Amino acid sequence: MPNFAFDDSNIDWRRLEGVDHLWLSVRDIDDEAGIVHVLYKFAANEKILLHRHKTVNKTFVIQGEHRLYHADGEIKEIRPVGSYKVSPPSEDPHREGGGDQDVIVFFTIYGKGLLYEILDDAQNVVAPLTVEDFRALL
């Protein structure tokens, strides 16, 4: 089977203020069902800030290699292109990033309020990310 490259040139990528190595495109917010669909692009060989998921996240890797890191920076998991994962909410903080190329991951996020907590390196909560924060990026 031939390999195909994902062309993301027509996607309107946005940035979250203060978050390096991450671009996103909110595709849909279903308020009634409590579902947010987001495309994330993580920079190659970089890590985004420390955070934790407060709701169920389902992910599908479209391009590249999705890497997850423990809070101490050690690799936790590598998800190759085509991987689908269901992740429950967790108090375990982590970072995410791309492998040797930018990775694009489609997230389905379940929740009607708080979705993520952004943490500092001492694991103190410095900012919440809510459905309303994603709505502002639509």
Side-chain angles (χ1 to χ4, degrees):
M1 180 179 272
N3 289 328
F4 294 95
F6 182 74
D7 179 5
D8 68 334
S9 62
N10 290 316
I11 295 173
D12 182 21
W13 293 109
R14 305 286 178 105
R15 301 293 304 260
L16 286 172
E17 187 177 330
V19 180
D20 294 329
H21 315 300
L22 174 71
W23 301 264
L24 64 136
S25 179
V26 179
R27 309 311 294 169
D28 183 52
I29 297 175
D30 183 334
D31 289 311
E32 188 173 315
I35 299 173
V36 180
H37 294 277
V38 182
L39 276 172
Y40 285 105
K41 184 188 327 189
F42 302 94
N45 298 308
E46 297 288 351
K47 299 175 195 148
I48 66 165
L49 46 69
L50 193 62
H51 66 284
R52 65 172 65 109
H53 296 212
K54 301 302 288 182
T55 64
V56 171
N57 281 245
K58 296 180 180 180
T59 61
F60 178 75
V61 181
I62 296 171
Q63 170 187 287
E65 183 178 83
H66 186 202
R67 294 182 179 178
L68 290 86
Y69 300 87
H70 293 287
D72 65 6
E74 291 298 316
I75 195 77
K76 176 180 181 178
E77 185 176 353
I78 296 174
R79 300 175 182 170
V81 68
S83 296
Y84 178 78
K85 181 81 172 184
V86 178
S87 301
S90 174
E91 290 301 308
D92 183 33
H94 66 279
R95 300 176 195 274
E96 299 176 59
D100 290 335
Q101 73 177 107
D102 291 349
V103 63
I104 298 175
V105 184
F106 184 76
F107 275 67
T108 301
I109 308 161
Y110 294 83
K112 294 186 177 186
L114 178 64
L115 304 177
Y116 301 103
E117 288 179 333
I118 306 303
L119 308 171
D120 63 17
D121 288 335
Q123 299 186 24
N124 299 304
V125 176
V126 295
L129 276 178
T130 67
V131 172
E132 293 309 313
D133 293 314
F134 285 92
R135 187 179 320 284
L137 296 167
L138 253 175

